[in-house]
Amino acid sequence: MQYTQLSFWGIFWMLLPMIQGRAIKTDRVKNDAKMLARTLITRIQEHPIQYLFPSNLKISGLDFIPDEQLLESLEHMDETLEVFQEILSSLPMENVDQMLSDMENLRSLLQLLSTIMGCTTRKHSQSDTQVNLTEEYAKAPYTTEKVALDRLQKSLHSIVKHLDHITNC
């Protein structure tokens, strides 16, 4: 009996550090995601191409780049960021490596939040964005870059705005 109690206490003391672990709070993940989105917005505003063209360009043919959407679900936010990640990684633009890294981290935070909320993970979808992007970039490279960054910035503002009110996947 004495050895049983000793082994029980020995196991208890070994497991004690594991018991101290805390669950990740959704508020913390949401705040981290909002902060990263704001950082991305700042990076976009400071990008050199923002000074070359006005921000009120009216362009046709770039409908495949997401624009003016209500991003009210985590899945929709992640899908939109995935499209922008494809677009920015395909454009031969300077100074986007850090933005791509931040977008990947933001997507990871959104996926973590989705997991915490008990949402099912979605499969990555294949889109024809690449074909459209190549055609439009050949016609007007700087305009395509400017429109992509402007629309990404609008989407990030929408993410920051709606992240606190997320209730569904």
Side-chain angles (χ1 to χ4, degrees):
M1 184 72 173
Q2 203 173 31
Y3 295 110
T4 307
Q5 288 179 341
L6 181 62
S7 63
F8 170 74
W9 287 110
I11 292 172
F12 177 74
W13 284 110
M14 287 177 19
L15 293 177
L16 188 60
M18 287 189 209
I19 296 171
Q20 296 289 329
R22 296 184 184 134
I24 299 173
K25 295 183 180 182
T26 56
D27 291 338
R28 172 150 177 131
V29 177
K30 285 181 183 180
N31 288 338
D32 288 348
K34 287 193 301 186
M35 183 62 71
L36 191 53
R38 286 185 188 115
T39 302
L40 257 166
I41 290 168
T42 302
R43 289 189 200 288
I44 291 169
Q45 290 170 344
E46 293 174 352
H47 193 274
I49 201 160
Q50 297 292 29
Y51 304 112
L52 297 177
F53 298 101
S55 60
N56 56 357
L57 291 173
K58 302 290 182 198
I59 305 296
S60 62
L62 297 175
D63 301 333
F64 61 94
I65 300 175
D67 185 29
E68 299 290 330
Q69 300 180 38
L70 284 177
L71 302 175
E72 295 179 340
S73 71
L74 291 171
E75 184 177 359
H76 199 197
M77 289 177 187
D78 187 45
E79 287 173 2
T80 302
L81 287 175
E82 183 180 16
V83 170
F84 278 113
Q85 210 169 4
E86 269 184 51
I87 291 170
L88 287 186
S89 63
S90 300
L91 294 175
M93 230 170 25
E94 294 179 12
N95 305 324
V96 295
D97 293 334
Q98 187 60 50
M99 282 189 237
L100 287 170
S101 176
D102 288 346
M103 266 197 290
E104 183 64 34
N105 291 333
L106 180 56
R107 287 189 63 212
S108 295
L109 286 171
L110 293 176
Q111 290 165 2
L112 175 63
L113 186 59
S114 177
T115 303
I116 290 171
M117 293 175 70
C119 305
T120 57
T121 58
R122 68 173 183 85
K123 295 181 180 178
H124 295 286
S125 60
Q126 295 294 329
S127 64
D128 55 342
T129 303
Q130 189 67 32
V131 175
N132 295 332
L133 180 64
T134 305
E135 292 172 6
E136 293 301 322
Y137 190 77
K139 294 177 191 174
Y142 295 113
T143 305
T144 305
E145 292 171 359
K146 172 70 173 164
V147 169
L149 287 177
D150 283 347
R151 291 184 183 177
L152 172 58
Q153 184 175 354
K154 288 177 187 176
S155 295
L156 290 168
H157 279 295
S158 181
I159 288 173
V160 169
K161 179 180 177 183
H162 290 101
L163 207 53
D164 281 332
H165 310 293
I166 292 290
T167 56
N168 61 3
C169 301

